[in-house]
Amino acid sequence: MQKSSDHILTSHAGSLPRPEALIAAYRAHDAGTGTDELRATLGAAVEEVVRRQRDIGIDVPGDGEFGKAMAQSVNYGSWWRYSWRRLSGIEPGQQNLYEMTPRRSRPGEVVLTSFGDRRDRTLFAEAYGDPDSGITTGPRPPTPVCVAPLGYAGHDLIRADIANFTAALATAGVAEGFMTAVGPGSCSRIANTFYKTEEEFLFACAEAMREEYQAILDAGLVLQLDDPALAENWDMINPAPTAEEYRKFTALRIEALNHAIRGLSQDRIRLHLCWGSWHGPHVTDVPLADIVEIVLAANCGGYSFEAGNVRHEHEWRVWREVKLPDDKVLLPGVVSHATNVVEHPELVADRIQRFADIVGRERVIAATDCGLGGRIHPQIAWAKLEALAEGAALATRRLWR
């Protein structure tokens, strides 16, 4: 993974707005027609999105997660749900995650509730129930159920994703690109009736998804593990656990992640965590300070996290108190998916400099809080990436005087 040796590098969290032609091709494909059209359209769309990132000034681009769309979430992409098409041993369920019967924790036993029973949703039930409130949670397809030994069945799909992306990088003359894949902790949030324990199922997810991780790294790409569950699970536990209980709960998910990437090129793996990308109040988010040491136990070369979101921007101070290992880099979000306001480059530069002053300019890569695709209008998303690049250039002039 590159470091900011002579300027502040730029990247982002993964999802980018899908072009209309790609959305139409996916819908035709999901309706049972247009397989060849989708293949051609997807390849062209990935080539164009890489070129556009390069032209804006994004040093480490992604494929926009264009190969991860599903019928129910083509606009949002599917950072997690895409894996449902790539796992064997699961079958379609009847309920979505918001409709499932809530589960309750008790002393000594921390369990996840349903998505619809989040504490944030309870506190702001009126706002969540108002379609004019501006709160969006994305599509809600039925959740699959694991009914047999879990395996990886996405070999053709990941090969196609890699082929499209590596060809696009070569055409654009870009040296390094990243590709996302769901982490074990987030992957395991589907229903399970086969494995006897939650831990068995979690590690089965780690083993299955390992094949995708290895394929991405074998292709010479940077792997970004998307595991928002590490922070987001906190809001899905009722009643709220103690910080120590949650750290223990999360440590098992980090153990599974490390199991999944054992023996792989950890210097080319970065971990993305966030507090969920939906537009909502987020007053029940777990503080970064409560989980940062657990997250740093992940054997990755970089850590991507929200730092522009107004619920978490203040947490840059955490890095004053926490020792970042010398061989690691930070990818703080310096523009946010959570607002339509386009950040000023001066603000972006200020955010970058805060981190550079703490961990060193070489160990900061400017990024986005979360994926921009589907959360804000495409025109605004691209304007935010431009502001990101402009702010990084300004920060570079300050830091390399």
Side-chain angles (χ1 to χ4, degrees), residues 264-310:
L264 303 183
S265 303
Q266 295 171 10
D267 61 337
R268 288 196 292 116
I269 301 174
R270 65 196 210 190
L271 172 64
H272 173 70
L273 66 94
C274 67
W275 285 261
S277 62
W278 78 92
H279 293 326
H282 284 276
V283 299
T284 55
D285 288 357
V286 66
L288 176 61
D290 286 353
I291 61 170
V292 65
E293 296 282 6
I294 298 295
V295 170
L296 286 175
N299 295 327
C300 301
Y303 304 91
S304 162
F305 54 94
E306 294 184 72
N309 185 316
V310 293

Side-chain angles (χ1 to χ4, degrees), residues 10 52-53 55-58 335 342-345 348 368 372 378-393:
T10 55
R52 190 169 183 180
Q53 290 171 79
D55 291 350
I56 284 176
I58 302 301
V335 299
V342 178
E343 291 82 354
H344 195 285
V348 173
T368 61
L372 300 177
Q379 189 175 24
I380 298 172
W382 287 106
K384 283 177 175 282
L385 288 181
E386 290 174 2
L388 170 63
E390 291 169 9

Side-chain angles (χ1 to χ4, degrees), residues 175 177 186 212 219 228 261 302 322 324 333 340 397:
S186 296
E212 183 161 292
I261 60 175
V322 174
L324 180 69
N340 285 333
R397 291 195 291 273

Side-chain angles (χ1 to χ4, degrees), residues 59-196:
D59 297 290
V60 187
D63 67 348
E65 300 183 359
F66 283 7
K68 293 183 167 65
M70 293 174 65
Q72 304 95 333
S73 54
V74 66
N75 275 310
Y76 287 87
S78 190
W79 67 271
W80 168 46
R81 296 186 181 105
Y82 86 94
S83 65
W84 301 353
R85 299 172 61 197
R86 302 189 182 189
L87 294 172
S88 61
I90 64 175
E91 63 181 25
Q94 301 301 313
Q95 287 183 304
N96 69 50
L97 292 166
Y98 292 84
E99 296 171 343
M100 288 184 172
T101 302
R103 302 166 66 199
R104 288 289 183 270
S105 293
R106 52 179 185 248
E109 184 183 6
V110 174
V111 297
L112 295 181
T113 183
S114 71
F115 273 51
D117 195 47
R118 292 179 183 273
R119 285 181 275 117
D120 200 67
R121 292 178 66 91
T122 301
L123 283 172
F124 294 91
E126 184 178 337
Y128 273 91
D130 182 354
D132 297 321
S133 67
I135 292 176
T136 58
T137 55
R140 303 177 181 180
T143 307
V145 181
C146 178
V147 296
L150 206 62
Y152 188 72
H155 303 93
D156 291 343
L157 292 169
I158 190 60
R159 275 196 292 267
D161 284 349
I162 289 170
N164 285 331
F165 189 35
T166 54
L169 291 170
T171 298
V174 176
E176 183 173 270
F178 76 96
M179 183 170 285
T180 64
V182 65
S186 296
C187 177
S188 67
R189 293 199 300 189
I190 63 174
N192 162 51
T193 60
F194 178 78
Y195 291 92
K196 293 181 180 179

